[in-house]
Amino acid sequence: MPNPQSEPETEVFRPRTTKWFVGIAVALTAAAVLSAGWTNGAGGVLATAPLFLIPAAAAWLFWYPSVRVSELGVRLDNPFRTIEVPWAALIHVDTKFALKLVTPKGSYTAWAAPAPGVWGTHAGKPEHLRNLPGTTYGAGGSVRPGDLSNTDSGQAARMVRERWEVLVNAGRIDPDQTDAARAAVSFNWRWILGLAAAAAVLFALAGLA
């Protein structure tokens, strides 16, 4: 039996391309700084100091965003806002344009789980339609492109729906009693102010070159 005082098990989703975007940003910045240092010495490195904002911004826009699913609910870490949706507030999971959690008080979209474009839709195979949570399927067993298990929105939606269905079937939440619960929304001031402060320092260093 799980320890009630232990931290709830949390599943975290990030797009598979996240590491590539951040890695490319780091590599390009490193190449530019090393080239400037090789050519102009310490002054060249100082002059390129603002370029360090590129990997920082990449981390903010690509690595930080995620979808976190726990026993308490779903948390969407977006660049500007963090949204925590308790299970008792969730009434629908949509994937038309991206993973979207619908509650009686509003809907919230996950930056980390966009729906596929034309290429992603055509890359879908029959196996990507099988063994999905029951609430995925529409009339006649239809499935939206954003629900395909090979897509970012589909993978994140599957995580949410599987946990949601388990809790509903166990009687731990009542999908018909959602009016009292609401999502908690907070702005990511630490990231925003941190990047602004870093920009001020880096441009000041560049001015010393």
Side-chain angles (χ1 to χ4, degrees), residues 93-137:
V93 177
D94 185 50
T95 58
K96 185 176 182 180
F97 301 110
L99 174 69
K100 181 167 69 173
L101 307 181
V102 182
T103 76
K105 310 297 182 181
S107 58
Y108 307 93
T109 301
W111 180 285
V118 175
W119 183 88
T121 300
H122 287 302
K125 299 178 181 179
E127 56 264 32
H128 299 144
L129 303 171
R130 302 187 189 119
N131 303 317
L132 300 174
T135 52
T136 304
Y137 299 99

Side-chain angles (χ1 to χ4, degrees), residues 33 89 171:
V33 172

Side-chain angles (χ1 to χ4, degrees), residues 25-51:
V26 170
L28 291 176
T29 301
V33 172
L34 289 174
S35 177
W38 179 268
T39 304
N40 299 309
V45 173
L46 284 176
T48 59
L51 292 180

Side-chain angles (χ1 to χ4, degrees), residues 12-203:
V12 180
F13 171 82
R14 287 187 177 91
R16 291 166 292 183
T17 54
T18 291
K19 294 179 180 179
W20 287 102
F21 285 133
V22 176
I24 290 171
V26 170
L28 291 176
T29 301
V33 172
L34 289 174
S35 177
W38 179 268
T39 304
N40 299 309
V45 173
L46 284 176
T48 59
L51 292 180
F52 285 101
L53 290 173
I54 295 175
W60 177 47
L61 295 175
F62 300 113
W63 178 254
Y64 173 74
S66 65
V67 178
R68 297 174 180 269
V69 180
S70 73
E71 294 296 320
L72 302 178
V74 185
R75 191 177 93 188
L76 307 180
D77 289 324
N78 291 342
F80 292 97
R81 300 192 306 171
T82 295
I83 303 105
E84 298 183 70
V85 180
W87 292 116
L90 185 63
I91 60 176
H92 181 61
V93 177
D94 185 50
T95 58
K96 185 176 182 180
F97 301 110
L99 174 69
K100 181 167 69 173
L101 307 181
V102 182
T103 76
K105 310 297 182 181
S107 58
Y108 307 93
T109 301
W111 180 285
V118 175
W119 183 88
T121 300
H122 287 302
K125 299 178 181 179
E127 56 264 32
H128 299 144
L129 303 171
R130 302 187 189 119
N131 303 317
L132 300 174
T135 52
T136 304
Y137 299 99
S142 61
V143 174
R144 271 185 168 170
D147 287 324
L148 296 172
S149 62
N150 66 314
T151 65
D152 291 334
S153 56
Q155 291 179 38
R158 182 171 189 162
M159 281 173 45
V160 174
R161 288 171 173 144
E162 284 181 343
R163 188 75 67 98
W164 189 24
E165 290 183 5
V166 167
L167 294 173
V168 170
N169 293 335
R172 295 181 58 183
I173 57 175
D174 185 351
D176 296 323
Q177 301 292 327
T178 59
D179 291 338
R182 64 173 61 224
V185 180
S186 58
F187 287 92
N188 296 331
W189 295 115
R190 290 183 180 180
W191 269 100
I192 297 169
L193 295 177
L195 286 172
V201 171
L202 292 172
F203 278 103

